[in-house]
Amino acid sequence: MMLFRGPRPWRPRRPPTLSTPARAGPRPPTPQVLYMKLCENLKYYQSHLYSTVVPPDEITVNYRHGLPLITLTLPSRKERCQFVVKPMLSTVASFLQDLQNEDKGIKTAAVFTADGSEIAGSTLMEILLMNDFKLVINKITYDVRCPKQEKLNSEHATEMENMKSLVHRLFTALHLEEFQKKREHHLLEKIDHLKGQLHPLEEMKARIEARSESKTSGLLWGGLALLSVQGGALAWLTWWVYSWDIMEPVTYFITFANSMVFFAYFLVTRQDYTYSAIKSRQFLHFFHKKSKRQHFDVVQYNKLKEDLAKAKESLNQVRRSLYLPTQVEELNEKN
């Protein structure tokens, strides 16, 4: 663009009217007019007329001092807020937690890929920022465009990976004990919480087991009484009513009938006909029957017991790395 001053500026003149004759008098000074000449293409200058202001609800990703900077509008306060992300340390779950800590009005937040697949919370932010993604906040979807980073050559990439590995090892060595202490405290709280949930279930289970055990014992004693009556009846018929020649085929068919009953039991239960197996089966039958009547959730009880066992095992592993074996035994006895 070039500016020229006109040598002969154009001066407007008023034409004389018919009613009023033109009067001669001093003329006002002539203004200086600047002329503007456009050089090159006119489209270049038209492009500067459009606004480049970011919309208030758009999420932008920029890099400042080598770190990603995510800028978004908080739903409750309607203010633009910037979040600095540490790609090698931050995860998707920690980023979403930072959003909810900054704005309590965020009830739900999730991250999805461009094709709609949900991204796990353990994914590193470094991997997330490689491609475009969708951020869903309170059921509102925002399309996030990530700037493309320059690809490093193989030698530089190897050096960066070695540097990342070294930083990770140093961070682990410096913060391992602190992390293990926090994990031990967290596991102790989890164990106490699980024991509190199991305490009423344990009491109800003990009452149901006592009643089931008494019923099972009564059933076994009833079976013994039935066999005693059967043996006494056969002896009375053999020596007082009939002779052995008559009762021998009767006892044979009774024995054969008992064999058929045992074989039928195996076909139905797929278990050997042993007294311990029969007792356990009848005990479980009475136990589950009474559990349904008293609304005892067996599935929930088993899940809590499994979680408690896993928590105790994790606690033992953490304590082995923090204390000596004798100290671990003392702590376990206290707990």
Side-chain angles (χ1 to χ4, degrees):
M1 181 184 299
M2 298 178 64
L3 299 177
F4 297 93
R5 177 167 302 183
R8 295 179 181 178
W10 177 77
R11 291 179 294 181
R13 296 181 181 179
R14 182 187 301 174
T17 59
L18 298 177
S19 58
T20 306
R23 298 180 182 179
R27 297 180 179 178
T30 304
Q32 299 292 332
V33 180
L34 296 179
Y35 289 90
M36 183 176 64
K37 182 179 179 181
L38 297 178
C39 299
E40 300 178 358
N41 192 358
L42 182 61
K43 296 181 179 180
Y44 172 79
Y45 302 98
Q46 291 178 351
S47 63
H48 292 277
L49 301 178
Y50 297 98
S51 174
T52 58
V53 179
V54 178
D57 58 345
E58 185 177 349
I59 300 177
T60 60
V61 180
N62 300 317
Y63 283 85
R64 181 178 298 175
H65 305 294
L67 293 177
L69 190 66
I70 301 177
T71 307
L72 54 89
T73 303
L74 300 178
S76 299
R77 294 164 16 197
K78 301 299 181 183
E79 297 176 353
R80 300 287 288 177
C81 186
Q82 294 180 345
F83 294 88
V84 180
V85 178
K86 298 179 181 178
M88 293 184 294
L89 300 178
S90 301
T91 60
V92 174
S94 62
F95 172 66
L96 297 178
Q97 186 63 40
D98 291 340
L99 289 178
Q100 294 179 345
N101 293 337
E102 185 66 26
D103 189 352
K104 301 302 181 180
I106 299 177
K107 302 301 180 183
T108 58
V111 179
F112 296 85
T113 58
D115 57 358
S117 301
E118 186 174 2
I119 298 177
S122 58
T123 305
L124 292 175
M125 292 297 294
E126 182 182 14
I127 299 175
L128 176 66
L129 296 175
M130 290 182 179
N131 301 309
D132 299 339
F133 60 92
K134 295 181 179 180
L135 180 61
V136 180
I137 300 176
N138 292 343
K139 299 182 180 180
I140 301 177
T141 304
Y142 300 91
D143 293 327
V144 183
R145 304 294 178 184
C146 298
K148 300 299 181 182
Q149 299 182 3
E150 296 181 358
K151 294 184 178 180
L152 304 176
N153 54 26
S154 59
E155 184 178 357
H156 196 184
T158 304
E159 293 179 358
M160 288 295 296
E161 290 297 330
N162 294 335
M163 183 64 67
K164 291 179 182 179
S165 177
L166 178 61
V167 171
H168 179 72
R169 291 198 299 269
L170 289 174
F171 180 82
T172 303
L174 293 174
H175 297 83
L176 180 60
E177 184 175 359
E178 180 183 357
F179 173 76
Q180 296 285 33
K181 288 284 186 180
K182 291 181 178 179
R183 181 167 175 79
E184 180 187 12
H185 181 68
H186 173 70
L187 288 174
L188 288 173
E189 290 181 350
K190 183 178 180 180
I191 290 174
D192 292 339
H193 179 67
L194 290 174
K195 287 182 177 179
Q197 290 182 324
L198 280 171
H199 183 68
L201 296 178
E202 291 283 1
E203 293 180 351
M204 185 181 298
K205 176 175 173 290
R207 293 194 298 267
I208 295 175
E209 284 182 343
R211 295 178 182 177
S212 301
E213 183 69 27
S214 62
K215 277 199 168 186
T216 304
S217 300
L219 183 63
L220 294 178
W221 283 106
L224 178 61
L226 180 62
L227 291 176
S228 301
V229 171
Q230 179 183 353
L234 291 176
W236 178 70
L237 292 174
T238 301
W239 282 289
W240 281 274
V241 179
Y242 305 108
S243 63
W244 174 248
D245 296 335
I246 297 175
M247 294 303 300
E248 183 179 6
V250 175
T251 57
Y252 172 77
F253 282 109
I254 290 176
T255 305
F256 182 75
N258 291 333
S259 301
M260 291 181 62
V261 170
F262 300 156
F263 187 69
Y265 175 84
F266 173 76
L267 292 178
V268 173
T269 62
R270 300 298 178 182
Q271 294 179 352
D272 293 335
Y273 186 84
T274 58
Y275 297 118
S276 59
I278 293 175
K279 180 182 178 181
S280 300
R281 185 175 181 82
Q282 286 302 125
F283 174 81
L284 292 177
H285 174 72
F286 291 132
F287 180 83
H288 285 282
K289 189 175 180 180
K290 288 187 173 295
S291 298
K292 290 181 180 180
R293 291 180 180 178
Q294 299 187 11
H295 304 287
F296 176 76
D297 194 348
V298 180
V299 177
Q300 181 185 5
Y301 175 80
N302 292 333
K303 185 178 182 304
L304 291 175
K305 292 289 287 186
E306 292 176 0
D307 293 343
L308 181 61
K310 291 179 181 179
K312 288 184 177 180
E313 180 64 25
S314 301
L315 181 63
N316 290 332
Q317 293 178 359
V318 171
R319 284 178 170 175
R320 289 192 195 101
S321 61
L322 288 175
Y323 308 106
L324 296 175
T326 55
Q327 295 175 338
V328 173
E329 294 178 359
E330 292 177 359
L331 291 174
N332 291 335
E333 290 177 358
K334 289 181 181 180
N335 293 333

